[in-house]
Amino acid sequence: MSDMGAEHAFRQSVQSGAPIVAFDFDGTLTIRDSFTEFLRWRAGAGGWALGLVKLAPAVAVYARDRDRGRIKAASVKEFLKGAPRAELESEAEAFADAVWSQFMRPDALKVWNDWGAKGAHRVIVTASPETTVAPFARRLGAAALLGTQLVFDGDDRVTGAFATANCRGEEKVRRLKAAYGDDVQLAAAYGDTSGDTEMIAIAQEKGFRVFKERP
């Protein structure tokens, strides 16, 4: 089973006439990659260092093929495999609470809130796992969260696999179309890497690397 529960918890219907606005999460709303920071925080200094040593072969492969999905899957297997869903969700909540004030970009939050004041349907579209981003999305008041989904086994523990493709590039557009229809129209989209360009391309207002502020 996947972590689709995290996604559906945010899947609010679009109110008639409400503009849909998509935000990347890591590096756009935040100052750095949230999943890497979560794994580091969860593992502790010693566990993080040991895990990186074990990941060396996967890192060497990534240096050749630049497959972000593969290196992310290797990281999940190393640092999260076997973790109970409830424990992981609780840790994700604690992490969000611990880093929020040092992690979120003030100018990005202003634009997020401005769109909210306009009644926009704000969706976070991220390559990070939905389970770890969900606490941030709840705190932001996101209407929807589309991210990479983890797989949990029959005992509700992380298997180390993904239920979906890594949510970047064309996959972001595919997920938006699956959620809102093939004719989805974005009033605006914001991102900061090449993995966001396809999503930004289908938006009326194209926000690429527009947020610079740090807490």
Side-chain angles (χ1 to χ4, degrees), residues 40 43-61 71 74-75 77-79:
R40 188 198 307 268
W48 178 249
L50 179 60
L52 290 181
V53 171
K54 293 180 178 179
L55 278 174
V59 173
V61 172
I71 189 67
S75 297
K77 288 179 182 178
E78 177 59 39
F79 290 104

Side-chain angles (χ1 to χ4, degrees), residues 123-156:
V123 53
I124 294 173
V125 190
T126 177
S128 286
E130 290 176 2
T131 301
T132 59
V133 177
F136 293 94
R138 280 192 290 271
R139 189 160 178 171
L140 286 164
L145 168 62
L146 305 174
T148 306
Q149 296 173 358
L150 301 174
V151 173
F152 295 83
D153 63 20
D155 295 321
D156 229 13

Side-chain angles (χ1 to χ4, degrees), residues 7 125 146-147 149 163-182 184 198-199 202:
E7 174 184 338
V125 190
L146 305 174
Q149 296 173 358
T164 61
N166 191 34
C167 192
R168 74 184 307 272
E170 286 290 348
E171 181 65 11
K172 290 198 172 189
V173 175
R174 191 194 71 78
R175 294 289 300 279
L176 284 163
K177 289 182 176 180
Y180 303 111
D182 288 340
V184 60
E198 290 87 348
M199 178 177 74
I202 66 171

